[in-house]
Amino acid sequence: MVNELMQDDWDLEKLVRQKDELKVKLLHAQSVVAECKAGLADLERRLERRAVSSTFDERHRNSSANNSIRNARSRKSGSVDVPVDQNTAVAFSSRSWDR
């Protein structure tokens, strides 16, 4: 029995076959790792684009909100479109400026 085990361990064809099987497994594992790395890199790029675009969108929203507020304030305070009451202007006299 010991001789049988020793013969199996030294069977050149069997060793070559095992070596080839291990090479195939290794190549498969390497391709899986490469595929995972590529998928991870793609995911990271998409997340980075999303982060950049959401930052841009947030700045754009803030800018739009600020512009809306500024426009609303300017419309309320002395817009060119607001008609001037001529009688109101008469209420001011040169004496009112001296006070």
Side-chain angles (χ1 to χ4, degrees):
M1 181 163 190
V2 174
N3 285 340
E4 237 177 81
L5 289 173
M6 291 294 283
Q7 283 180 339
D8 285 345
D9 285 345
W10 294 104
D11 184 9
L12 187 58
E13 285 183 33
K14 187 174 181 182
L15 290 174
V16 170
R17 192 171 43 252
Q18 286 177 336
K19 180 182 173 186
D20 290 343
E21 289 172 1
L22 288 173
K23 280 184 179 181
V24 168
K25 286 181 181 181
L26 179 62
L27 289 173
H28 178 70
Q30 288 173 335
S31 71
V32 169
V33 169
E35 186 179 333
C36 289
K37 284 182 178 180
L40 181 60
D42 182 50
L43 180 61
E44 287 174 342
R45 280 191 300 274
R46 290 188 342 218
L47 287 172
E48 187 174 310
R49 276 197 307 265
R50 178 176 277 178
V52 169
S53 69
S54 66
T55 303
F56 175 77
D57 290 345
E58 187 65 31
R59 280 186 277 154
H60 182 68
R61 267 187 251 119
N62 289 342
S63 175
S64 296
N66 289 338
N67 288 338
S68 297
I69 291 168
R70 274 191 227 111
N71 290 340
R73 286 181 185 159
S74 68
R75 273 186 245 125
K76 288 180 183 176
S77 62
S79 175
V80 179
D81 298 336
V82 176
V84 176
D85 184 3
Q86 295 298 327
N87 296 327
T88 306
V90 176
F92 294 103
S93 68
S94 62
R95 279 188 248 157
S96 67
W97 290 106
D98 294 337
R99 293 184 193 156

